[in-house]
Amino acid sequence: QAALAIIDALTGDVLALAGAPITGTASRKVPGFSWDANGSIGSVVKPFVLLEHLESERRGRPYMAVQDMEVCGGHLDWRGLRLKCDDAHWDRGRDSIIALSESCNVFFYQAGLGLGTDGVARALKRFGLVEPLDGDPFIECWQPWVRGLPIVAPKVDEGISLPRRSIGYGVEAPPLYLARAYAGIATGVLPYVGLRLDRLQRFVQLGDIGESLAVVRDGMAACVLTGTGRKLPMLKRLQVHAKTGTAEISQRTKQNNGWFAGFMPWTGRGGMQIAFCAVVYNVPRGVHGGEAAGGMLVDFLRQLESKSLLNDRYLVPEDR
């Protein structure tokens, strides 16, 4: 099962949304509108956690200083559990840009523990990935539905331990909502998404977070250049900013969800800046988000590039 969502980061207009295979007649069962059993988003959550880590440091909220973090030897021991990382990043894993680009779990386990339950929730609320309570300062960031689309809203399983929620386990969302969240990273403004091109959408200004956003964007650029998305040369050429995600959903069946989300770093000549999210559910263990979902995005961009009108509209910077 796979799905791809493309939006205009500047307006929230849905440019493309597809899921397959489609079985039965229930529209909510289309991949990308809902998910079977476990829709965990994995490491595509990390840009939001990193931004909250940086903002908490700036504003004096609880956080764990980098110098106090353990180096990444491939795991973190916490409360008798061994929490795994896909690699041993050693001291490099305490560099926030490298930690994001190379997806160092040990950094993000500790960042989440430093933020605490409230801080991790704040990271998700800011980008519309968890429903806030009445009176919450992020109440305007929540979009509970998309008119005309039977898409399930994001949700979080707080029964999952805090360090694992910090790397996206138990955080479930459809790709359209993640494309929206990544549009917020691209522009500093969170749009409401919709299908009506003749109707101005609502926007939420994300405030004075430009300094932290710059670090997150640098990490996402490095993800494609040298990190977990480096095996996709077309994305390097287009200077795509992105994050890969691989979420283990079943130890018994050895399956993962593979994710790839990000944005073009410029506005195209058509006046639109693309933000996107791709997912392939239930891939075999060993297949990562950069391969499965990232490959699907590459196929989409190749088709855009092959058609001169669409290439000029979406992929050529407006000032070129």
Side-chain angles (χ1 to χ4, degrees), residues 45-53 115 117-130 138:
V45 82
K46 290 176 179 176
F48 315 120
V49 174
L50 175 57
L51 187 135
E52 187 57 42
H53 167 81
L115 292 172
T117 299
D118 289 346
V120 172
R122 191 164 51 244
L124 300 174
K125 290 176 185 178
R126 188 194 305 273
F127 291 94
L129 295 175
V130 66
F138 296 113

Side-chain angles (χ1 to χ4, degrees), residues 127 182-190 204-210 213 217:
F127 291 94
Y182 274 79
I185 294 176
T187 67
V189 179
L190 188 66
V204 182
Q205 299 287 339
L206 294 179
D208 178 25
I209 59 172
L213 277 177
R217 290 169 187 156

Side-chain angles (χ1 to χ4, degrees), residues 55-74:
E55 281 297 293
S56 294
E57 180 179 9
R58 285 183 64 209
R59 302 182 185 281
R61 294 193 291 257
Y63 81 105
M64 184 180 295
V66 169
Q67 60 266 27
D68 295 332
M69 291 184 178
E70 294 184 27
V71 299
C72 173

Side-chain angles (χ1 to χ4, degrees), residues 18 25 34-35 62 68 77 108 163 165 172 189 196 202-203 206 218 225 232 255 280 285 318:
T25 58
S34 64
W35 49 87
D68 295 332
D77 291 324
F108 285 95
R165 292 203 306 276
E172 300 180 295
V189 179
R196 292 283 297 272
R202 294 168 58 191
F203 301 91
L206 294 179
D218 285 347
L225 292 174
L232 302 167
Q255 291 179 313
V280 182
R285 184 176 295 176
E318 62 180 352

